[in-house]
Amino acid sequence: MESIEDIILRHSKRGMLKLKDHMEESYCELAAREILSWEPGVIFLTTGFYVAGYPETDGPVGTVVLAKALKKLGWEPVIVTDSAYTVLFTIRNIAVVPVDVNTTEDEFRNIITRYRPVGMISVERCGINTRDDYENMRGKSIKEYNAPTDILFELAPEYSIRTVGVGDGGNEIGMGCMADVIQRELSLVPCRVTVDRLVIASVSNWGAYGITAYLSILSGLSLLMPYDDINSYLAQTVEIGSVDGVTHERVPHVDGFSEDIEKEIVDALHAEVRQRISC
């Protein structure tokens, strides 16, 4: 029987199936259980990947789906992202802490002290790599456009804050957990930032949906947004200026996948949730 991890790894194009062989079988479920172990309070989420002058469509949608689920479960989601991306989340009434490329470690410490997050989650957010740069999948530096939100995750252990990361390529926050494997198996320069629980997927949005599906199963609540709601929000982000991260087109596609593929994944996750809850 296909697991949620299998579903979010369908149509894999970037070598994530190679990474799966080096991970615990139920890594997505373990991430959900990790989140459910956190005390009530603020949870920081970060997302927003710079592509050709705009945020890509992968990341914000999964982050909103997960943030809405966390809110239903009693947490207070707060998104930490670039100032230019804040509108992507305020239109869905989610609190945002805007930062920029010049935000310092001391300023991030002040943000932690102010909000006292009980956990942090990254969904498709570039992290500093093993050659001290922020690079896209083509190996091009985006440092001058990327606020260093990964500093929050590097500081987290000092404040006893647990972390979860979601990625689909190797350059995202959290992929430091698999840095050696990424460099060896995928011949990429990996992100060096680690997390307590890593989730991989063919598309990072799908990884966030997978976590949300497990949160639904474990809580017995319906938390995963229907496809129509997800697609509607995706279209909103495109209207604002988001682009497909692969084609760079302003269309409601993610990583080159059509709406039909997105619907396939969301519908499969809903079916799995219904089956698991009814058992």
Side-chain angles (χ1 to χ4, degrees), residues 35-127:
I35 293 168
L36 289 172
S37 74
W38 297 346
E39 296 292 326
V42 170
I43 293 179
F44 279 171
L45 299 100
T46 189
T47 191
F49 207 114
Y50 176 90
V51 173
Y54 303 95
E56 71 162 307
T57 50
D58 190 20
V61 183
T63 301
V64 165
V65 168
L66 189 49
K68 293 291 187 182
L70 294 172
K71 195 166 187 177
K72 287 182 180 179
L73 289 168
W75 282 285
E76 182 183 349
V78 174
I79 296 176
V80 185
T81 191
D82 307 76
S83 301
Y85 303 165
T86 58
V87 66
L88 296 174
F89 309 104
T90 56
I91 60 172
R92 287 300 172 113
N93 299 313
I94 303 173
V96 180
V97 175
V99 292
D100 59 39
V101 295
N102 297 314
T103 303
T104 65
E105 179 179 313
D106 284 344
E107 290 172 313
F108 280 114
R109 287 185 184 277
N110 289 337
I111 291 170
I112 291 173
T113 300
R114 177 184 173 190
Y115 286 89
R116 299 184 182 279
V118 298
M120 299 182 188
I121 304 171
S122 174
V123 180
E124 187 66 11
R125 181 73 189 187
C126 193

Side-chain angles (χ1 to χ4, degrees), residues 1 16 42 49 52 79 96 129 139 192 204 222 224 249 258 261 272:
M1 185 167 57
M16 293 301 101
V42 170
F49 207 114
I79 296 176
V96 180
N129 65 20
R192 72 179 190 218
S204 291
S222 179
L224 182 60
E249 295 176 318
S258 68
I261 297 297
E272 184 67 17

